[in-house]
Amino acid sequence: MRKKLIYRLAIIAILAALSSALRIWMAAFPNVKPITAMFFAFAIVLGLSDSLWIMALTMLATGLLLGFSPLVLGQIIVYAIIIVIFKSLSVLTDNIWLLSVLTAVLAMVFGVLISFISGMIYGFGAGGFVGYWLAGLPFDLAHAISTFIFFPIVMLILRRIKTLK
């Protein structure tokens, strides 16, 4: 049992470090990040709990490196919400393309929710939220498209690694 716990902790730490490195490496491309797709894939392959731990550690680590603000906590909360929704809906199908569409939709939901949290933090109000969200819509679309593209690739890699185990 102890050996299994150590293995699980090592996997979480390694994947959080990989996710952090990829987020920092892709920082030059606004909202084009493989980590959202990775978090969703981790939820399927490793389970919900491990995916949430990897996500939280990634967001904290990259927050320390890219700039820590109250929005980091908002990102953790919103990511947790969309990962739980994804995990709940992913049991309905194992079709990779339907799951990819779901990841793109949830990436858009992420954009709406994070804009709402930003509005609460920075005091935009209801009208300001709509303008803020619309101004960020191209970034949300880039996030959704990149998540749609990265998800099948990450799933292919994770399933291959899982079968080698």
Side-chain angles (χ1 to χ4, degrees), residues 6-7 19 21-22 25 27 31 34 58 67 79-81 93 105 110 113-114 117 120 127 132-133 148 157 162-163:
I6 292 170
Y7 175 79
S19 299
L22 285 172
W25 181 60
N31 281 23
T58 300
Y79 263 127
I81 291 168
T93 183
V105 169
F110 177 88
L113 293 176
I114 208 68
I117 289 176
M120 287 178 21
Y132 186 76
W133 176 69
F148 176 82
I157 293 167
K162 188 94 174 169
T163 58

Side-chain angles (χ1 to χ4, degrees), residues 20-35:
S20 299
L22 285 172
R23 183 167 190 229
I24 291 165
W25 181 60
M26 300 284 287
F29 306 103
N31 281 23
V32 177
K33 314 251 180 306
I35 63 167

Side-chain angles (χ1 to χ4, degrees):
M1 173 141 154
R2 182 182 164 124
K3 201 173 201 178
K4 196 172 194 174
L5 176 64
I6 292 170
Y7 175 79
R8 183 173 170 225
L9 291 174
I11 291 293
I12 290 170
I14 290 167
L15 292 175
L18 174 65
S19 299
S20 299
L22 285 172
R23 183 167 190 229
I24 291 165
W25 181 60
M26 300 284 287
F29 306 103
N31 281 23
V32 177
K33 314 251 180 306
I35 63 167
T36 304
M38 292 170 68
F39 298 153
F40 290 141
F42 297 155
I44 289 176
V45 176
L46 301 174
L48 181 61
S49 175
D50 288 355
S51 179
L52 292 174
W53 277 111
I54 293 166
M55 174 273 300
L57 290 170
T58 300
M59 299 317 292
L60 288 172
T62 57
L64 291 171
L65 294 169
L66 297 174
F68 207 89
S69 74
L71 198 54
V72 173
L73 178 60
Q75 289 174 325
I76 291 172
I77 292 167
V78 173
Y79 263 127
I81 291 168
I82 66 171
I83 291 169
V84 167
I85 292 170
F86 176 78
K87 179 64 176 172
S88 301
L89 294 175
S90 69
V91 298
L92 301 175
T93 183
D94 59 353
N95 183 312
I96 196 74
W97 300 112
L98 286 176
L99 291 173
S100 293
V101 169
L102 179 59
T103 64
V105 169
L106 288 173
M108 291 298 291
V109 170
F110 177 88
V112 171
L113 293 176
I114 208 68
S115 294
F116 179 75
I117 289 176
S118 296
M120 287 178 21
I121 291 172
Y122 302 115
F124 299 150
F129 156 73
V130 173
Y132 186 76
W133 176 69
L134 288 174
L137 197 55
F139 295 98
D140 294 343
L141 286 171
H143 186 206
I145 292 167
S146 68
T147 302
F148 176 82
I149 292 169
F150 283 123
F151 180 75
I153 297 167
V154 173
M155 282 301 295
L156 178 68
I157 293 167
L158 286 178
R159 285 187 175 151
R160 280 223 173 127
I161 292 171
K162 188 94 174 169
T163 58
L164 294 175
K165 187 175 146 184

